Amino acid sequence: MDKINKQTLYQLKSDRAEAVKAAEAALDEGRTEDHDAEMVKVKGFNDQIDRVEKLLEEQERFGAQEPPAGGVPHTEQEHEAKGYDAAVKSFAAAARAGFPKTKAAGDFMSEGVDPDGGYTVPQDISTKIINLRDAKESLLGEVRVIPVTTKSGKRTIKKRGQHQGFATVAEAAKFGKAATPQFTVLEYNIKKRGGYLPVTNELLEDSDNNIAAVAVEWLGDEARVTANNEILAVIQAKTPQDLKNLDGILKTWVRLGSAFRSTSKLITNDDGLLWLGTLKDGNGRYLLTPNPADPKQLRLCVGPYTLPVKTYDNGTIPTKDGKIPMILGDLKEGVAYWDRRTFSVQVSDTAVVGEFNAFEQDMTIWRGSLRDDCTVWDDGAFINGYIAAGTVADSGEAAG
């Protein structure tokens, strides 16, 4: 049996989407039996997706368990476990030694130059940190994540709305002059981000796995919140638009254009969920409903459109200055997160951070850092909208 991983989950969701399309087509053509058969498939995919999601959660929780004793691993899972165990031993030993700076080639951002970054976290543990970062409520799932290996660089792109397709050319004929393509050059410049974690000296007397677990949880959570903040900063740098009501949401959705509408969604927070959840049509039916094909996904009926809706808690996307966020668009086309996927740790038993004095309190301060950047990819792909808090939810004409 193939290994269960995130690719398995993506394939199941893709298969479910195809079944939904087939069901919709059958319904439009009046083939009710075919429609019912496809919906049975959809339910089956939903059950499989739930099981795979739970299995992936368990794999994430217990991924650091010891592999079976004795000999070389015979499966990919056992091989990964062996590699992770070796990384845990190395990391724990480094922690007990005060996280000395590593010198291996490729560990640092500037080739041939010693940085001020301290001990570079082993790759297997970095992968664990990234998996934890992405497993919790993270906006990284909404944007274009681009792994990079250099400190800075450029990408030349042609925005989605500018693609015109190739012209028809006869055999042996010359290519005619076409309109000059409009390319955009995007630059990234990896930045160092850092923070602190006070730990007890007794932790260093604990097991290797427990030392590594503390670091993974700390760095994973900090990486997730850091990325969320950077993504929001890019979104909020775009001029905010007061959507006012449901009609405003409809007009903004139409303004996105056909290039983006098919892959767009409405992203909001718990305040926005409450506001949208009160909208009703003329017959008293709620406009915000679960998607029958995927009950975990919400959708909003707005005029002739059905908008996918994704909500995050207020801690991830806060309501600021009385403005409830209503982000419309395709953030994978709108925002790029340049991920260096590198973490480093330094340690001090004498440092003072705020009112915390490591020496006086007989503790140790770990200073962790990561490296990344976040930029706009295509500013036409999303709208930074909001609804003023206290606005009465009015279905308006857009409800149809």
Side-chain angles (χ1 to χ4, degrees):
M1 181 178 179
D2 293 338
K3 179 184 176 184
I4 299 298
N5 53 30
K6 287 188 177 180
Q7 187 59 44
T8 307
L9 184 62
Y10 298 152
Q11 185 61 52
L12 283 171
K13 288 186 175 181
S14 176
D15 293 342
R16 179 181 64 188
E18 291 299 321
V20 171
K21 288 181 182 178
E24 291 174 346
L27 188 62
D28 290 342
E29 297 169 9
R31 295 182 286 110
T32 56
E33 291 185 1
D34 291 342
H35 169 267
D36 293 343
E38 291 297 333
M39 288 307 295
V40 170
K41 291 182 182 178
V42 170
K43 185 179 183 305
F45 285 129
N46 284 338
D47 293 341
Q48 290 182 66
I49 288 169
D50 285 340
R51 288 195 294 270
V52 170
E53 285 178 338
K54 290 176 182 177
L55 179 59
L56 290 175
E57 289 176 3
E58 292 302 306
Q59 288 178 350
E60 180 63 32
R61 288 178 58 200
F62 299 107
Q65 283 185 339
E66 294 285 340
V72 177
H74 297 288
T75 67
E76 184 179 353
Q77 295 97 318
E78 290 176 9
H79 179 76
E80 291 176 354
K82 289 280 190 183
Y84 182 76
D85 287 343
V88 165
K89 285 184 177 296
S90 174
F91 182 86
R96 296 184 181 108
F99 289 119
K101 291 186 179 182
T102 52
K103 298 292 185 181
D107 277 342
F108 302 121
M109 294 297 300
S110 302
E111 293 78 0
V113 178
D114 285 342
D116 60 352
Y119 172 84
T120 301
V121 175
Q123 182 179 352
D124 288 276
I125 294 181
S126 292
T127 300
K128 196 78 171 177
I129 292 167
I130 291 166
N131 289 340
L132 177 63
R133 176 195 71 181
D134 297 347
K136 294 187 179 181
E137 187 149 277
S138 170
L139 295 178
L140 285 169
E142 304 292 346
V143 305
R144 183 184 296 259
V145 178
I146 307 173
V148 295
T149 57
T150 56
K151 186 175 182 180
S152 61
K154 298 179 180 180
R155 294 287 192 279
T156 302
I157 67 166
K158 191 173 185 182
K159 295 181 179 179
R160 181 189 286 186
Q162 296 174 343
H163 288 280
Q164 299 170 349
F166 292 122
T168 302
V169 182
E171 292 298 330
K174 293 183 178 180
F175 282 81
K177 290 185 178 180
T180 303
Q182 299 297 310
F183 291 99
T184 300
V185 178
L186 299 179
E187 298 185 17
Y188 68 88
N189 187 10
I190 298 298
K191 302 172 183 64
K192 182 179 178 180
R193 329 266 184 188
Y196 301 93
L197 175 70
V199 299
T200 64
N201 290 327
E202 286 75 17
L203 174 64
L204 302 180
E205 301 172 6
D206 210 330
S207 68
D208 293 353
N209 277 331
N210 285 348
I211 293 174
V214 168
V216 167
E217 184 174 4
W218 165 51
L219 292 172
D221 284 337
E222 292 300 323
R224 173 179 55 83
V225 176
T226 299
N228 287 349
N229 291 341
E230 292 174 45
I231 292 167
L232 282 178
V234 170
I235 295 171
Q236 293 167 356
K238 190 171 182 179
T239 303
Q241 297 185 22
D242 185 357
L243 304 182
K244 299 185 184 302
N245 52 32
L246 192 62
D247 286 334
I249 292 176
L250 173 61
K251 292 172 184 175
T252 303
W253 183 260
V254 172
R255 283 204 307 272
L256 283 170
S258 58
F260 297 111
R261 276 199 302 270
S262 62
T263 54
S264 291
K265 67 180 70 167
L266 168 59
I267 298 174
T268 187
N269 62 6
D270 288 337
D271 292 335
L273 176 62
L274 181 60
W275 189 86
L276 293 171
T278 61
L279 296 171
K280 299 179 182 179
D281 64 14
N283 296 318
R285 294 172 297 192
Y286 287 102
L287 300 181
L288 183 68
T289 59
N291 184 341
D294 184 2
K296 295 180 181 178
Q297 184 183 78
L298 296 173
R299 60 184 189 177
L300 178 69
C301 295
V302 184
Y305 298 104
T306 300
L307 283 58
V309 176
K310 181 66 179 290
T311 63
Y312 290 86
D313 63 50
N314 283 17
T316 302
I317 307 181
T319 297
K320 293 183 178 179
D321 302 322
K323 297 177 180 179
I324 301 173
M326 294 279 176
I327 303 162
L328 286 159
D330 182 353
L331 292 184
K332 286 192 183 295
E333 290 293 324
V335 179
Y337 179 81
W338 311 88
D339 191 359
R340 182 63 176 82
R341 304 173 76 87
T342 299
F343 302 86
S344 59
V345 184
Q346 284 181 293
V347 66
S348 174
D349 59 3
T350 60
V352 177
V353 178
E355 298 180 356
F356 186 89
N357 187 309
F359 179 77
E360 291 181 353
Q361 296 176 248
D362 191 29
M363 296 184 74
T364 299
I365 294 178
W366 288 1
R367 188 180 78 184
S369 63
L370 60 85
R371 293 167 172 84
D372 63 8
D373 193 18
C374 191
T375 65
V376 170
W377 184 266
D378 184 345
D379 61 2
F382 68 95
I383 303 295
N384 177 25
Y386 69 90
I387 295 289
T391 299
V392 176
D394 181 7
S395 301
E397 297 177 0

